[in-house]
Amino acid sequence: MNEIPKAYEPQSVEDKWYDFWQKQGCFTADPKSAKPAFSIVIPPPNVTGMLHMGHVLNNTIQDILSRKARMDGKEVLWLPGTDHAGIATQVQVEKALKKEERKTKYEIGREEFLKRVWAWKEKHGNIIINQLKKLGCSCDWSRERFTMDPEYSRCVQKVFVELYKKGLIYRGKRMVNWCPVSQTALSDEEVEMKPQKGFMYHFKVQVAEEPDTWLTIATTRPETIPGDTAVAVNPKDPRYAHLIGKHIVRPLPIQLPREQKLIPIIGDEHVDFEFGTGVLKVTPAHDKADFEIGQRHNLAIVDIMNPNGTMNELAGESLAGLDRFEARDVAVERLKELGVMVEEKPYENNVGFSQRADVPIEPRLSEQWFLKYPSVEPSKACVAEGRMKFHPDRWAKVYDHWLTNIQDWCISRQLWWGHRIPVWYRNSEVYCGLEAPTGEGWTQDSDVLDTWFSSWLWPFATMGWPENTETLKKFYPTTDLVTGPDIIFFWVARMIMAGYEFMGEPKFALPDAMPFQNVYFTGIIRDKQGRKMSKTLGNSPDPLVLIAQYGADALRFGTMRSAPLGQDVLFDEKDVELGRNFCNKLWNACRFRQMQGGETETEIKPDLLTSDDKWILLRLDQAIREVSDALTTYNFATAVQALYRFFWSEYCDWYVEASKAPFFGTDAALKANKLAVIDFVLSNTLRLFHPFLPFITEELWHGMGFSKELPGNQGGQTIMFASWPKPFNTEEKEYFGLDDVADKVAAAKYELVGLGRNLRRELKLDPAKKLNFILKPAGTLAASEIEVLKLLLNAESVEIVAMDWTPDKGTPSASNALGEIFLPLAGLIDLGAEKARLTKEQEKIQAEIVKVEQKLANPNFAQKVPAKVLDEHKQRLADWQAKLVQVKASLKAMG
C-alpha cells in the first residue's frame, strides 16, 4: 500500500488522475477491439456555451454509463463535440463587433464577418470542453467533432443534395415564424409559447353599401389593421351571412382615400361563431390562419412590417418607422380619434416567442427552403415495437404523436454563420450540387441551413459517413443517448429519421439502422423551490465554483442523489456538501484500513468468519445486485441511495465499528481474516463507486494497493478497467457460509444495540458515558458476540443473566429475537423525578396531537392550504404520535 494522506484534497487528485487517464489513452476507443461495443454520442453543447447544472446532470449520467461499460469489459466510445449554434454564435459576434468596433456585419461584409466568427470560435470554443474535463468526462477527445469541420460540412451538403434530388427539399413562399431580432425564419420547434397579458380591442367598421350598419371586430393586434385585405364571417352565421359580398371601410391608414380603404366581406367556415364578435379581420401577411383564408379567397397580401419588426410605409404615415409594439399604442389612439374604438378588455393569451432571442415572433410570408421528412414510418415503428426504448417510456407517446402530425421543416435561416445552402442561381436556372457550377454569372443562395439540419446527422456523420468506416461498423448503432425531453422533436426524432434514411443503405448491411438502442430523458434542473434555473432569477450556481469548493466527485454524487428517473431535479447545494462528506467518509474508511497495518489481504478463510463478517458480505452482495439493477434500468438516484445506505450505514456505522472489538487484535489469524474481509469489501466498494466518483476511487485504488490485482491491464493498472463487482453465486455463498442464520444473528445484534442506545437516549444519558447493561439472551451467545455488543453499546459491561432472572422494578428494557436488554438505573437518575418529567412530556405531546388533529379536521384549513403545507402538518402529527409511543413505553418500564 501507498500511505493515504490524512486529508482528501480533491483539486490535486482530480488534476493528477485526469492527466494520467488522457496520457495513457484510457478514453480512446479501438474499433478493431474484439470486446463488445458500447457507444454514446454527446449532445453537442453550443460552441458559445458555458457549463451549467443541466450539463452537469446530462454528462455525469453519460460518464456513469461509459465507465460502467468499461468495467463490464466493453470497448467504449463516448464521442464528444460541439455545435456551431448558428443564431447564438452569430449574435455573440455581432454584439462584440458593435461594442469593440462600432460596426455592423453589413459594414464589413459576409466574408470578413465569417473570419471574425471563426476567430471567436478559436478563442472561446474550447471553454466548455475544458469544463467538461474538469467534471471528469471520459470522452474520446481524439475524436472530438465540430459541426462546421470540413468533413462534417461535406456530410451536411451531401445530405441536402440527396434529399433535394429525391424531391424532399423544395423552395416556396410560405408563412413562417420570423424572429425580428435575429432576422431569420424559425421552425415551429424553435418557438416557445408563453402566456402574455394584454388587451382585446373592440373597434367598429362601417359597411360601405349600408352606411347605417356597423360591424364590431375584436383583435389583439390593432397595429396590423393597415394590412387587412378582408373581413370574414361564417356563412352559417345568421347575424352576418347577408352581408357577404359587400365591403367595409377599413379605418387605417387614415390618410388613404375612401375607395382605397374598401375591403370585401367574405364568408369562410374558419371563422368561429363564439370567438370575439364573430367578425374576423383578415391579415394574410401577418397571421398563418389568415394567410390560409387569403389563399382560399385569392386575397391581396399586404406586408406592413420590415424584417426587424418596425412598420413600413404601407402601414401609413402615423405608424411607419415605429416598433410594432409602439405602433400598437399609436393605432389604438388613432381609432379613438376616429371614434370607432368600442372598448378595451384585459386579455391573456399564448404568444409565440423566439427561444433564442426571447422576443415575440412574427408570422411572415417569406421565400424559404423546406424539407418533407424522410423515413417517418420506420422511425415510428422502431419505438412503437420496442426495438428502441425510451426511459421513461411515457415519452414514447409524445414522440409518436408528433410524428403522426408532422409538418414540413423550414430548414433555411437568414444568417451568415452556418452551412450555406448548396444551391446556385443564374437567371432562371437553378443548380444544386456539392461544388459550385462552372461558368459565369452563378450566384449562391445567401441562406444557411438550420443548425439542427447538421446536428440531426450527429450519430453517423461523426463516425466517418458516407464511408462505411471501421468506426461505424463497430459503434453504430450507438447504445445510449442521454438528452432532455425539450429537444425530443428538435433533435431526437430527426436523428432517428436521418439514421433510417442514410444508414439504411445496403452498403452498411445493418439489421436495423436506428441510431441508438436506448434514449434516456433527464429531468429539468430546478432550484429547491421548484423554479427553473436561470440567470435572471440568480438561482443557477456556477458548477466550476462548486467543483472548486467541494470537488468534482462531490458535485457528481450530490447531483445524482437527487435525480430520480426522468423527473425534474430539485437542486440543493446541501446535496453537494453531502457528496463531499461522503467522499471524506470513503477516504477515512480506507485510511482506517491502512492504520491496521499489513499489506492487502486476499484470502478469506470461511472457518474464521464471524457473524459480522458474513452479514457485511451479504450486505455487499445485496448492494452489488441493487446498484447493477438500478444502472441497467437507468435509475441512477436509486443506485446512489443503495450505495449510500450500504457504505455509510451498513459498512461504516456497523461493520467497521464492530471490527474494533479488542479480541480481533489479540488473535493474529482472526485479525488477518478480518482485514481480508475489509479489503474484499473495499475493493468491491471502490469499483461500485467508480462510475459516480471517478477521481477519489482511482486515488484510493492505488493507495490501497488494489491496482496490483490488475497486471497488464490497459491504462496502467487503473480502476477504470477493473471488472465490475459480481454478486455471490450459490457455490460461493455455501463456501463462505453466507446463510440466513448468520445474517439474522448479526442483524438482531445490531437491532438490539439500537434498542439499547434508545434506552440511553430516552433517559437523556450522556452518550459518551460508559454504562452497565444486563442481557437476558434468548439462546447461547459466543463471547465474541458479547464483546461486539459491549463495544457498540459503549458499555462498561454487558452482564449475561439466566432466563429466570428478574429485574428491579422500574428498570427500563427492550427486547428482540436475540434477547432482552436492561439498563439498571441505580446511581444514574432519580426515578421519581424522571417519571414526573416523562408524565409532563406526555401531557405536552398529547396537547400537540390534539392541536394538529383539530387543524387537519378543519375543512377551511385542509381544503385551502397548498398540498405542501398539508403534507407538513400530516408529518408533524405522525412525528408527535411516534414520540408519544416512546414516552408511554418509558413510563411503562418504570412501573
Side-chain angles (χ1 to χ4, degrees):
M1 298 186 190
N2 300 317
E3 185 178 352
I4 298 172
K6 186 175 181 180
Y8 175 51
E9 296 179 359
Q11 279 67 34
S12 59
V13 168
E14 290 168 4
D15 293 341
K16 175 181 74 176
W17 287 116
Y18 202 88
D19 185 59
F20 171 84
W21 292 327
Q22 285 198 283
K23 286 179 178 175
Q24 293 293 323
C26 296
F27 307 155
T28 306
D30 179 8
K32 296 180 181 178
S33 169
K35 297 178 184 178
F38 174 92
S39 54
I40 188 166
V41 291
I42 199 170
N46 288 350
V47 74
T48 59
M50 299 287 281
L51 194 69
H52 56 64
M53 288 306 301
H55 291 130
V56 170
L57 173 65
N58 187 296
N59 287 282
T60 297
I61 290 171
Q62 292 178 77
D63 197 43
I64 289 168
L65 292 170
S66 298
R67 289 178 183 272
K68 167 67 162 58
R70 291 189 188 96
M71 300 177 82
D72 283 335
K74 295 178 181 177
E75 190 63 33
V76 173
L77 169 61
W78 181 12
L79 200 150
T82 50
D83 190 282
H84 66 279
I87 295 176
T89 305
Q90 180 159 320
V91 167
Q92 291 269 23
V93 178
E94 285 190 71
K95 284 181 179 176
L97 186 66
K98 187 174 182 180
K99 181 180 179 181
E100 295 166 13
E101 301 181 42
R102 296 184 180 179
K103 291 181 180 178
T104 67
K105 63 180 181 180
Y106 302 106
E107 291 177 273
I108 64 173
R110 184 170 191 147
E111 186 176 345
E112 182 59 32
F113 179 76
L114 289 177
K115 287 181 182 177
R116 306 291 178 91
V117 181
W118 277 107
W120 189 94
K121 184 263 177 187
E122 292 305 313
K123 183 177 180 181
H124 300 281
N126 282 328
I127 291 176
I128 194 160
I129 293 297
N130 291 328
Q131 291 173 333
L132 289 173
K133 291 177 180 179
K134 289 291 289 182
L135 187 63
C137 295
S138 58
C139 300
D140 184 349
W141 299 110
S142 69
R143 296 176 182 270
E144 185 183 337
R145 298 290 184 265
F146 176 51
T147 52
M148 287 286 284
D149 284 340
E151 298 85 1
Y152 199 98
S153 296
R154 192 77 171 170
C155 294
V156 175
Q157 292 170 333
K158 179 177 173 59
V159 164
F160 183 97
V161 172
E162 286 188 16
L163 293 173
Y164 178 85
K165 289 179 178 178
K166 289 179 181 179
L168 294 175
I169 286 180
Y170 63 93
R171 197 176 189 222
K173 198 165 190 179
R174 300 267 289 272
M175 185 66 69
V176 298
N177 305 304
W178 184 264
C179 175
V181 172
S182 306
Q183 294 190 41
T184 181
L186 303 173
S187 68
D188 288 344
E189 291 76 28
E190 291 171 292
V191 176
E192 183 179 346
M193 302 307 293
K194 294 185 180 183
Q196 296 293 299
K197 290 182 179 179
F199 290 92
M200 181 69 78
Y201 301 94
H202 292 247
F203 67 99
K204 60 183 181 179
V205 293
Q206 187 181 42
V207 178
E209 292 83 356
E210 298 181 16
D212 293 333
T213 301
W214 292 77
L215 301 178
T216 300
I217 299 172
T219 181
T220 58
R221 302 197 65 192
E223 72 276 11
T224 63
I225 292 174
D228 294 348
T229 54
V231 295
V233 297
N234 194 304
K236 296 177 183 177
D237 191 334
R239 296 173 295 174
Y240 309 117
H242 65 285
L243 296 174
I244 295 172
K246 296 181 180 180
H247 299 77
I248 63 100
V249 182
R250 189 182 62 207
L252 300 176
I254 293 174
Q255 70 274 15
L256 289 180
R258 178 183 171 86
E259 60 271 15
Q260 291 183 29
K261 295 181 181 180
L262 298 182
I263 56 175
I265 302 172
I266 60 173
D268 194 287
E269 293 189 359
H270 167 82
V271 180
D272 185 350
F273 282 51
E274 304 299 325
F275 181 77
T277 63
V279 181
L280 181 74
K281 63 189 282 298
V282 183
T283 323
H286 297 284
D287 184 275
K288 289 185 177 182
D290 290 5
F291 175 76
E292 291 172 4
I293 293 174
Q295 293 294 290
R296 289 195 290 272
H297 296 273
N298 199 29
L299 297 178
I301 297 173
V302 180
D303 186 351
I304 58 170
M305 277 191 206
N306 297 313
N308 65 356
T310 60
M311 312 302 287
N312 64 27
E313 293 77 9
L314 294 177
E317 289 179 10
S318 58
L319 302 185
L322 296 177
D323 173 79
R324 54 190 167 149
F325 299 113
E326 294 174 335
R328 180 173 303 173
D329 295 336
V330 173
V332 170
E333 290 305 312
R334 294 294 174 268
L335 293 173
K336 289 178 180 177
E337 290 169 7
L338 292 168
V340 296
M341 178 62 76
V342 177
E343 63 177 335
E344 303 171 42
K345 288 183 178 179
Y347 183 73
E348 184 173 317
N349 64 331
N350 285 324
V351 175
F353 274 66
S354 164
Q355 280 193 334
R356 285 291 174 202
D358 197 33
V359 295
I361 56 102
E362 278 296 333
R364 182 175 175 81
L365 194 62
S366 178
E367 193 85 32
Q368 300 289 343
W369 288 94
F370 295 88
L371 168 66
K372 294 177 182 177
Y373 284 102
S375 301
V376 173
E377 289 310 312
S379 300
K380 287 178 67 176
C382 72
V383 176
E385 295 169 7
R387 285 177 283 119
M388 180 187 293
K389 292 180 169 55
F390 283 5
H391 309 271
D393 60 3
R394 68 176 182 270
W395 291 109
K397 290 182 180 178
V398 177
Y399 169 83
D400 187 78
H401 181 265
W402 184 73
L403 283 181
T404 302
N405 300 278
I406 201 166
Q407 302 292 315
D408 290 356
W409 177 10
C410 176
I411 58 173
S412 49
R413 297 291 181 269
Q414 289 63 58
L415 303 170
W416 288 356
W417 173 242
H419 300 97
R420 196 164 176 180
I421 289 175
V423 173
W424 287 261
Y425 309 99
R426 184 170 66 182
N427 300 323
S428 60
E429 294 180 84
V430 179
Y431 172 81
C432 177
L434 294 176
E435 305 293 342
T438 56
E440 299 293 326
W442 290 97
T443 304
Q444 187 174 0
D445 195 302
S446 61
D447 287 352
V448 299
L449 289 161
D450 178 10
T451 297
W452 296 103
F453 191 88
S454 55
S455 54
W456 77 320
L457 314 176
W458 191 250
F460 55 86
T462 52
M463 296 190 195
W465 184 90
E467 302 305 319
N468 193 15
T469 62
E470 293 300 315
T471 302
L472 275 172
K473 290 175 186 176
K474 181 72 176 178
F475 296 111
Y476 187 96
T478 63
T479 312
D480 293 322
L481 176 73
V482 180
T483 188
D486 52 330
I487 55 174
I488 189 172
F489 311 131
F490 284 122
W491 196 44
V492 179
R494 290 168 177 169
M495 282 193 290
I496 296 170
M497 287 185 271
Y500 278 109
E501 184 69 13
F502 300 106
M503 289 300 295
E505 297 174 11
K507 72 175 181 179
F508 296 110
L510 291 169
D512 198 320
M514 62 183 183
F516 17 77
Q517 298 162 39
N518 298 283
V519 183
Y520 176 84
F521 293 103
T522 65
I524 296 171
I525 291 266
R526 299 182 182 276
D527 65 16
K528 57 188 176 183
Q529 297 177 40
R531 301 175 302 174
K532 193 171 180 179
M533 288 188 170
S534 70
K535 291 180 181 177
T536 309
L537 290 174
N539 63 346
S540 182
D542 183 344
L544 292 183
V545 172
L546 293 174
I547 289 173
Q549 187 174 355
Y550 300 105
D553 285 336
L555 176 59
R556 291 164 62 114
F557 194 80
T559 303
M560 296 315 302
R561 185 172 180 267
S562 55
L565 175 61
Q567 296 179 32
D568 288 354
V569 178
L570 298 181
F571 177 80
D572 188 337
E573 192 171 326
K574 287 183 179 177
D575 286 324
V576 186
E577 188 176 343
L578 182 145
R580 180 194 61 189
N581 295 343
F582 195 88
C583 288
N584 288 336
K585 191 83 167 178
L586 185 59
W587 187 265
N588 290 332
C590 289
R591 285 193 72 247
F592 169 77
R593 163 60 187 93
Q594 277 201 349
M595 289 164 64
Q596 309 315 305
E599 288 303 306
T600 304
E601 298 286 349
T602 56
E603 184 183 357
I604 298 175
K605 295 179 180 178
D607 57 323
L608 295 178
L609 290 174
T610 66
S611 64
D612 301 293
D613 297 329
K614 294 178 180 180
W615 180 82
I616 198 60
L617 290 173
L618 285 167
R619 299 286 72 73
L620 173 64
D621 179 78
Q622 179 186 358
I624 292 170
R625 294 176 192 275
E626 288 182 9
V627 174
S628 299
D629 289 346
L631 291 181
T632 300
T633 55
Y634 304 89
N635 283 286
F636 301 101
T638 301
V640 170
Q641 287 157 11
L643 286 168
Y644 189 91
R645 181 206 68 232
F646 166 71
F647 186 73
W648 192 292
S649 177
E650 295 167 346
Y651 179 72
C652 290
D653 286 355
W654 289 111
Y655 181 72
V656 171
E657 291 306 309
S659 71
K660 295 175 183 177
F663 71 92
F664 290 116
T666 60
D667 187 317
L670 269 180
K671 180 177 180 181
N673 209 54
K674 177 67 68 176
L675 294 181
V677 172
I678 290 175
D679 289 342
F680 181 81
V681 172
L682 286 176
S683 169
N684 280 273
T685 300
L686 290 176
R687 282 177 279 157
L688 286 174
F689 276 119
H690 177 68
F692 301 88
L693 308 172
F695 294 110
I696 191 171
T697 52
E698 186 73 87
E699 177 74 6
L700 292 172
W701 186 255
H702 287 261
M704 293 295 296
F706 295 144
S707 58
K708 294 174 184 176
E709 298 174 20
L710 300 168
N713 261 301
Q714 178 188 357
Q717 302 171 349
T718 166
I719 193 174
M720 283 182 64
F721 299 104
S723 59
W724 182 254
K726 291 179 174 59
F728 294 115
N729 57 36
T730 304
E731 292 77 15
E732 289 168 332
K733 282 190 174 181
E734 288 178 0
Y735 177 74
F736 289 115
L738 305 181
D739 53 28
D740 287 345
V741 175
D743 190 34
K744 287 177 180 176
V745 168
K749 181 168 57 182
Y750 301 146
E751 182 187 26
L752 195 65
V753 170
L755 294 171
R757 289 173 177 175
N758 197 46
L759 293 177
R760 180 196 290 263
R761 192 179 306 112
E762 287 173 3
L763 295 167
K764 301 192 182 313
L765 297 172
D766 184 357
K769 182 179 176 63
K770 289 190 177 292
L771 304 177
N772 295 303
F773 287 87
I774 296 173
L775 176 63
K776 187 192 291 184
T780 304
L781 273 182
S784 60
E785 303 286 10
I786 297 168
E787 282 295 320
V788 171
L789 276 173
K790 179 181 173 184
L791 174 76
L792 296 178
L793 284 167
N794 190 28
E796 184 68 38
S797 66
V798 176
E799 181 185 350
I800 305 299
V801 296
M803 290 296 291
D804 59 356
W805 178 81
T806 304
D808 294 338
K809 186 178 180 181
T811 302
S813 67
S815 63
N816 75 346
L818 202 66
E820 189 171 8
I821 192 166
F822 300 86
L823 178 57
L825 299 179
L828 291 177
I829 61 171
D830 181 331
L831 201 59
E834 180 61 17
K835 194 170 182 179
R837 184 189 71 78
L838 287 171
T839 302
K840 190 174 181 181
E841 186 174 345
Q842 179 179 252
E843 292 169 356
K844 177 188 172 186
I845 292 171
Q846 287 170 331
E848 290 293 339
I849 289 173
V850 170
K851 194 187 301 180
V852 180
E853 284 178 335
Q854 287 175 343
K855 217 168 190 181
L856 290 171
N858 183 353
N860 289 328
F861 174 81
Q863 296 173 14
K864 293 181 180 179
V865 297
K868 185 179 178 183
V869 174
L870 189 64
D871 289 342
E872 286 173 355
H873 277 72
K874 288 179 179 178
Q875 184 60 49
R876 194 177 302 166
L877 177 61
D879 292 343
W880 282 120
Q881 289 171 335
K883 286 180 182 178
L884 183 61
V885 170
Q886 290 178 357
V887 170
K888 282 184 174 180
S890 297
L891 281 169
K892 184 180 179 183
M894 290 183 179

